[in-house]
Amino acid sequence: MVTSNQAPTLSAESQAQIDRELAKYPADQRRSALMSALRIAQVEHRWLSNELIAVVADYVGVPPIAAMEVATFYNMFDLKPVGRHKITVCTNLPCALSGGYQAADHLKQKLGIGFNETTADGKFTLKEGECMGACGYAPVLLVNNHSMCNHMTPDAIDKKLAELE
């Protein structure tokens, strides 16, 4: 993890994970592992600073601008600090018609924050998300980009928040 006056680094474990991703591609196509490498770095550091993006680019062997292009294109990458638990609520039409906005409103009320905000204790960040490909299970939430939660009624949301405490 980064302290205030240190340049970000990748742990040996993150480097090993990135090496496994790099091994999947020919040596002249290292750029193909960039998305995975950025994801690994984000899991370790919780967000991607410009400096960390440059560290990942250097490790993968691509120009820093190539890594920045990927990091700024995909909304799964956080370019600002987020809470320990990032909750993304789908509000696209199928989820909206099946309670997506009610789920978002319930989360806003329970957490005391709006979209793109983080609770004062740093535990939760709330985001509005695009379609997550689970329309039949709406409304859906994505926790920390990895855990999809479906049929998120107010009771189900309360249970999920209690699990995350």
Side-chain angles (χ1 to χ4, degrees), residues 73-102:
F73 181 80
Y74 293 100
N75 66 3
M76 68 183 150
F77 295 119
D78 298 307
L79 304 179
K80 295 180 181 173
V82 296
R84 192 170 68 236
H85 303 292
K86 182 177 78 169
I87 300 174
T88 306
V89 183
C90 180
T91 56
N92 273 12
L93 187 60
C95 278
L97 293 173
S98 298
Y101 283 110
Q102 290 85 351

Side-chain angles (χ1 to χ4, degrees), residues 86-153:
K86 182 177 78 169
I87 300 174
T88 306
V89 183
C90 180
T91 56
N92 273 12
L93 187 60
C95 278
L97 293 173
S98 298
Y101 283 110
Q102 290 85 351
D105 289 342
H106 185 74
L107 278 161
K108 289 175 184 178
Q109 184 271 324
K110 292 291 283 190
L111 298 174
I113 58 174
F115 285 130
N116 300 313
E117 294 179 351
T118 300
T119 56
D121 62 6
K123 285 185 183 178
F124 297 98
T125 296
L126 187 59
K127 296 279 192 175
E128 184 173 21
E130 292 298 317
C131 182
M132 298 176 192
C135 303
Y137 303 100
V140 295
L141 309 177
L142 189 62
V143 178
N144 295 332
N145 292 335
H146 298 285
S147 177
M148 176 126 3
C149 307
N150 58 63
H151 301 296
M152 295 309 289
T153 63

